[in-house]
Amino acid sequence: EKQGFRHYMLKEIHEQPRAIRDTMLGAGVVADDVRFDGVDLLGKGLDACARIVMLACGTSFHAALIGRSLIESLARIPVEVDIASEFRYRDPIVRTTDLALAITQSGETADTIAALKEAKQRGAQTLAICNVLGASISRVADRVLYTHAGPEISVASTKAFTTQLTMMVLLAIHLGRRTGHLGAERARALIDGLQDLPAHIDNLLAASAAIRIVARRHQGARDCLFLGRGLCYPVALEGALKLKEISYIHAEGHASGEMKHGPIALVDNTMPVVVLAQRGPGYGKVLSNLEEVRARGGKIIAVATLGDHTIGDLADDLILVPDVAGELQPILASIPLQLLAYHFADLKGTDVDQPRNLAKSVTVE
Ligand code: M6R
């Protein structure tokens, strides 16, 4: 039941601290490693895994994009990501040294299941990340890693997404320790950072009322842009998907560096632009993108790092998130975007949990 929340989506947003904790417990996290006890992840051994090919749809595809960067940087294994419905039909190159990884909350998405079957048929080893025990995907994949988000009722995925992101960090640590690219000290720091996330998320959830005020201020908007760089580029894609699916506001996510290659033509003073501007290597660049938007009258909603005193002057609305390792920023940045989408939709009075034209699992191709 909804346990006093207006919608399942809001309840599920609030369950994220618990869901992330449970996902870590299930993975067998120790001080400086992630064991995935009992799951021989790489099957024939690490030498056999020359490349990982991730397959997913929708929100799970966004988790895969973040997973690619994490695994490439922490484990130095090349990763490709494909939309499941595209992969199947493009005569993909698959080798027996590939690990095909399907990411699917429900484990029932027809295109994702078919794509994994296709990869398997072409000789790849197969792994799935899934949130539902015994789902159809588990009959295709050689091995399954479970996120422990618990049942997700709302069509808009929230806790399933952030537990997928948690799983991506855990998998990257696991692989990095085995390829030898991730030292014990860095692994420990990342795991400590993961352990702190639930408390940080509780603090972010406490800002829900303030985010509702931001949504109210932009209530009349018909279009909205989301911009991010690096690991936060897929977070921008996800922020846009969430907003459009439940509020029916036209929303687009872009890599902020792509702005001047087209999307900036859309910006005028009726257009809210959500900018992911957490501190990190791309911060300076994000600031200049933000100035470009501002110069064209765009209304800036910035998601920035707590303690950032520069950005306040550039943004119309400021949402602050705690300072954490770059690898963990996407998880925290996602929380205010979920709340923003929720409040936009709720203020508009849409059917938040059952948006029009959408189904929770897309079991047709
Ligand atoms: O169950 P899956 O993870 O395979 O679902 C994939 C997409 O259908 C799903 O993430 C969809 O995009 C959500 N409604 C987004 O909130």
Side-chain angles (χ1 to χ4, degrees):
E1 261 313 297
K2 289 186 219 158
Q3 292 163 4
F5 289 97
R6 268 169 74 76
H7 296 98
Y8 281 109
M9 182 183 179
L10 195 58
K11 167 177 171 274
E12 289 161 7
I13 288 173
H14 281 80
E15 284 170 346
Q16 290 176 106
R18 195 267 317 139
I20 288 175
R21 218 175 280 125
D22 287 353
T23 298
M24 291 180 66
L25 274 175
V29 173
V30 295
D32 58 6
D33 197 10
V34 180
R35 298 235 166 99
F36 292 119
D37 298 320
V39 185
D40 176 16
L41 255 195
L42 292 166
K44 298 170 205 154
L46 197 59
D47 291 344
C49 175
R51 184 178 73 141
I52 297 173
V53 179
M54 295 188 186
L55 306 165
C57 301
T59 290
S60 298
F61 171 72
H62 300 150
L65 291 173
I66 292 170
R68 170 174 67 189
S69 300
L70 291 172
I71 291 174
E72 290 197 337
S73 90
L74 297 177
R76 308 307 294 165
I77 297 173
V79 181
E80 267 193 44
V81 180
D82 213 341
I83 292 171
S85 57
E86 288 295 315
F87 177 84
R88 309 171 49 188
Y89 298 111
R90 69 178 172 87
D91 193 14
I93 297 173
V94 178
R95 304 188 184 90
T96 51
T97 51
D98 287 340
L99 175 70
L101 168 56
I103 304 179
T104 167
Q105 182 280 132
S106 62
E108 304 296 344
T109 300
D111 279 316
T112 307
I113 294 172
L116 195 68
K117 276 187 185 155
E118 180 73 35
K120 190 175 189 169
Q121 217 157 43
R122 292 176 185 237
Q125 300 183 61
T126 53
L127 174 68
I129 291 176
C130 180
N131 189 48
V132 179
L133 215 70
S136 302
I137 197 89
S138 68
R139 291 191 289 278
V140 179
D142 302 327
R143 289 168 288 273
V144 184
L145 298 178
Y146 287 99
T147 48
H148 293 273
E152 193 179 63
I153 309 293
S154 163
V155 165
S157 187
T158 55
K159 61 178 181 169
F161 177 61
T162 49
T163 55
Q164 286 168 343
L165 294 185
T166 303
M167 187 56 94
M168 290 294 136
V169 179
L170 296 171
L171 186 58
I173 294 172
H174 175 90
L175 295 172
R177 298 294 284 134
R178 275 143 199 85
T179 58
H181 285 281
L182 181 66
E185 203 174 317
R186 180 127 184 259
R188 183 173 294 128
L190 280 172
I191 288 168
D192 286 350
L194 278 168
Q195 313 271 20
D196 292 341
L197 285 183
H200 288 320
I201 294 175
D202 275 329
N203 289 333
L204 286 169
L205 293 173
S208 182
I211 291 176
R212 191 174 181 89
I213 293 170
V214 176
R216 183 170 286 128
R217 221 186 334 261
H218 300 280
Q219 213 177 333
R222 295 193 50 214
D223 311 274
C224 186
L225 285 182
F226 288 76
L227 305 178
R229 273 185 181 264
L231 284 172
C232 279
Y233 161 46
V235 176
L237 297 178
E238 173 60 10
L241 172 57
K242 212 92 304 173
L243 184 64
K244 81 181 82 163
E245 78 176 325
I246 60 170
S247 76
Y248 317 143
I249 294 170
H250 164 234
E252 293 180 16
H254 291 283
S256 31
E258 280 291 290
M259 270 304 273
K260 50 174 122 2
H261 299 283
I264 201 158
L266 296 171
V267 175
D268 63 16
N269 61 10
T270 65
M271 169 84 95
V273 182
V274 180
V275 183
L276 295 160
Q278 284 155 289
R279 276 211 204 94
Y283 179 72
K285 294 268 168 59
V286 170
L287 280 191
S288 51
N289 299 140
L290 210 138
E291 307 235 25
E292 289 157 11
V293 170
R294 198 181 160 80
R296 280 145 191 98
K299 298 278 170 281
I300 293 166
I301 303 172
V303 177
T305 311
L306 212 65
D308 183 339
H309 299 299
T310 321
I311 204 156
D313 301 334
L314 290 170
D316 297 278
D317 293 290
L318 190 57
I319 299 169
L320 294 170
V321 296
D323 196 1
V324 294
E327 291 85 348
L328 308 179
Q329 282 179 359
I331 300 178
L332 291 189
S334 296
I335 311 290
L337 301 195
Q338 295 168 349
L339 288 168
L340 195 63
Y342 173 78
H343 288 303
F344 261 111
D346 187 42
L347 288 168
K348 195 168 175 179
T350 65
D351 190 350
V352 172
D353 288 330
Q354 278 297 333
R356 67 187 183 199
N357 309 341
L358 291 171
K360 182 65 184 161
S361 342
V362 183
T363 54
V364 290
E365 302 177 8

